[in-house]
């Protein structure tokens, strides 16, 4: 079967990297078939179809996951729709919705939805249209002269990423990472439910919140006790009752057992947030300590400012960079997301 991912276009590389990492984490064999502007088509085994809803619940830089029914064009769309046995797909109610990936492609989507919906309605016994909460959501995707006729499997919950913005939590501190990026960074490490995630610069706890939603066991540390208490308050607010959060310098953390992943967004050189320590010394010392805390198969996902040379930081460690993503925050700062693993 082929799955169509409608991706966020706010970043060029993160959506695809996140999809790939989550499919691997969920142990779903896959093959990338085609990529368009904002669309990724992935082939998976039919037996894995039931796992795709879980994949959708994990992703942050994807809008929808849909099962491909047919690929056609505008001219052939009506005749191809008439060839499908819709009784095998629609059991109760349904809706048809069209989406133009190219906003310069001008046509009336409402008219298309009405026409295709009417054709399907005439072909399905006992069916009815439900515009608000249909059992079967049919998505027509238009781009580059192609039309994908699909059935939606999952829609990513934008409400969560809005409701969990840093300023809406009990404890807020300026510069906190967005929930969407935090979720993506956790996903890039490929954790599974029940794995342990450590954030040695936990700040306000945003990364740990997203790891907890994915079912991870949570460990966090920060040198600033105010941040430690703030993280505890935020995690409790989000319903996590048993996280391990403590005050400690990231270079001196000791744990009873090693963790599956480390995901972190260290402070970017403000002396108050680094305990008065030089950022380069702090980062390099923390990375050396992370080598002792991480399982051999584990990964680190770490955010750094563009002016910091992470290759130099890992020179005295056994880590290697396996992928990087650059996010322009404003004209004077680009955030670099690096994924590291042990050599």
């Amino acid at each position: 079967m082929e799955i169509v991912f409608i991706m966020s276009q706010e970043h060029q590389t993160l959506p695809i990297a996140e999809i790939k990492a989550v499919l691997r984490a969920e142990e779903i064999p896959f093959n990338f078939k085609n990529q368009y502007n904002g669309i990724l088509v992935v082939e998976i085994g039919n037996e894995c179809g039931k796992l795709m809803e879980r994949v959708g619940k994990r992703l942050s830089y994807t809008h929808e996951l849909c099962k491909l029914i047919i690929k056609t064009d505008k001219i052939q769309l009506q005749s191809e729709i008439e060839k499908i046995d819709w009784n095998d797909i629609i059991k109760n109610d349904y809706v048809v919705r069209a989406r133009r990936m190219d906003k310069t492609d001008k046509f009336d989507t409402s008219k298309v939805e009405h026409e295709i919906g009417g054709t399907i309605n005439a072909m399905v016994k006992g069916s009815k249209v439900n515009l608000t909460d249909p059992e079967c959501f049919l998505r027509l995707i238009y781009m580059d002269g192609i039309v994908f006729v699909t059935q939606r499997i999952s829609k990513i919950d934008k409400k969560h990423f809005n409701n969990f913005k840093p300023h809406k939590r009990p404890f807020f501190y300026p510069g906190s990472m967005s929930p969407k990026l935090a979720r993506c960074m956790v996903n890039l490490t490929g954790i599974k439910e029940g794995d342990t995630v450590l954030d040695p610069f936990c700040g306000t706890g945003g990364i740990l919140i997203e790891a907890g939603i994915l079912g991870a066991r949570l460990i966090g540390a920060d040198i600033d006790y105010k941040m430690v208490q703030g993280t505890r308050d935020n995690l409790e607010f989000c319903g996590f009752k048993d996280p391990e959060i403590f005050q400690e310098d990231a270079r001196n953390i000791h744990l009873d057992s090693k963790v599956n992943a480390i995901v972190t967004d260290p402070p970017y050189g403000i002396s108050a947030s680094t305990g008065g320590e030089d950022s380069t010394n702090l980062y390099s010392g923390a990375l050396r300590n992370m080598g002792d805390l991480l399982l051999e198969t584990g990964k680190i996902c770490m955010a750094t400012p563009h002016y910091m040379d992470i290759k130099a930081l890992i020179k005295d460690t056994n880590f290697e960079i396996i992928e990087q993503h650059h996010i322009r925050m404003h004209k004077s700062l680009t955030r670099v997301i690096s994924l590291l693993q042990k050599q």
Side-chain angles (χ1 to χ4, degrees):
M1 99 174 35
E2 291 183 355
I3 305 298
V4 180
F5 292 80
I6 304 177
M7 301 180 293
S8 166
Q9 297 183 61
E10 60 196 282
H11 194 272
Q12 187 174 1
T13 62
L14 279 173
I16 294 177
E18 184 184 29
I19 291 168
K20 185 185 299 183
V22 171
L23 289 172
R24 287 174 175 165
E26 297 298 325
E27 300 181 354
I28 299 172
F30 64 91
N31 177 37
F32 282 9
K33 296 284 289 185
N34 292 292
Q35 181 182 343
Y36 308 86
N37 187 28
I39 295 291
L40 181 67
V41 182
V42 178
E43 183 178 33
I44 65 168
N46 291 338
E47 71 281 0
C48 296
K50 59 183 178 295
L51 299 175
M52 296 311 296
E53 188 172 348
R54 175 169 172 78
V55 169
K57 289 180 179 178
R58 289 189 59 154
L59 294 170
S60 62
Y61 281 98
T62 295
H63 295 310
E64 296 180 31
L65 280 71
C66 305
K67 177 183 176 182
L68 181 61
I69 299 174
I70 56 168
K71 175 184 175 183
T72 184
D73 57 41
K74 288 183 182 180
I75 296 174
Q76 300 296 322
L77 176 59
Q78 184 67 38
S79 61
E80 291 297 319
I81 288 288
E82 292 172 359
K83 295 177 184 178
I84 299 169
D85 186 355
W86 290 104
N87 288 288
D88 284 344
I89 298 172
I90 301 171
K91 303 302 180 183
N92 293 301
D93 51 18
Y94 72 98
V95 71
V96 177
R97 288 285 183 253
R99 180 166 184 158
R100 289 180 279 112
M101 299 306 295
D102 181 0
K103 301 307 179 185
T104 64
D105 186 10
K106 302 296 183 182
F107 64 92
D108 189 342
T109 55
S110 296
K111 182 179 178 182
V112 169
E113 293 165 358
H114 181 74
E115 290 175 350
I116 298 302
T119 299
I120 293 173
N121 191 61
M123 297 173 66
V124 180
K125 299 173 182 177
S127 69
K128 62 179 180 178
V129 174
N130 181 343
L131 300 178
T132 56
D133 187 27
E135 182 180 88
C136 179
F137 190 108
L138 300 175
R139 170 68 77 190
L140 308 183
I141 305 168
Y142 289 76
M143 77 213 144
D144 299 335
I146 298 169
V147 183
F148 284 146
V149 180
T150 72
Q151 181 179 3
R152 190 165 75 185
I153 297 171
S154 178
K155 179 181 180 181
I156 282 62
D157 184 10
K158 294 181 182 178
K159 187 183 297 184
H160 162 76
F161 296 115
N162 180 60
N163 292 344
F164 279 64
K165 286 181 178 179
H167 68 278
K168 295 183 178 180
R169 303 170 194 153
F171 178 75
F172 170 70
Y173 194 82
S176 299
M177 179 175 285
S178 72
K180 183 178 288 187
L181 180 55
R183 170 76 64 87
C184 181
M185 287 180 63
V186 174
N187 274 327
L188 290 178
T189 65
I191 66 159
K192 305 177 188 297
E193 186 174 359
D195 283 354
T196 301
V197 172
L198 165 68
D199 183 352
F201 298 93
C202 64
T204 64
I207 286 172
L208 293 176
I209 289 170
E210 298 305 318
I213 289 171
L214 298 182
R217 176 175 172 259
L218 308 177
I219 302 178
D222 203 285
I223 198 169
D224 186 342
Y225 183 73
K226 179 176 68 175
M227 296 297 181
V228 171
Q229 191 56 50
T231 291
R232 287 172 179 162
D233 292 344
N234 284 343
L235 290 176
E236 183 177 358
F237 172 77
C238 295
F240 304 114
K241 301 300 183 184
D242 300 309
E244 184 180 346
I245 311 297
F246 53 88
Q247 183 179 14
E248 185 56 271
D249 187 314
R251 296 166 293 186
N252 299 320
I253 295 173
H254 300 281
L255 300 174
D256 293 335
S257 58
K258 296 189 176 185
V259 301
N260 301 94
I262 297 173
V263 187
T264 193
D265 179 28
Y268 295 170
I270 304 169
S271 61
S273 62
T274 60
E277 180 62 84
D278 174 75
S279 293
T280 300
N281 292 336
L282 177 62
Y283 281 38
S284 58
L287 278 163
R288 286 193 295 272
N289 189 48
M290 290 179 202
D292 296 328
L293 303 175
L294 186 68
L295 289 166
E296 293 302 310
T297 57
K299 291 183 175 66
I300 294 175
C301 192
M302 184 175 182
T304 56
H306 68 276
Y307 50 79
M308 188 168 288
D309 184 358
I310 192 165
K311 291 182 180 178
L313 293 176
I314 64 173
K315 183 177 62 176
D316 296 328
T317 73
N318 63 342
F319 289 116
E320 61 178 345
I321 300 170
I322 55 177
E323 63 183 70
Q324 284 187 316
H325 309 274
H326 295 74
I327 305 173
R328 189 174 186 274
M329 306 303 293
H330 46 75
K331 65 179 181 179
S332 61
L333 176 63
T334 294
R335 186 180 254 161
V336 182
I337 307 299
S338 300
L339 189 64
L340 313 176
Q341 69 179 10
K342 292 184 177 181
Q343 300 185 53

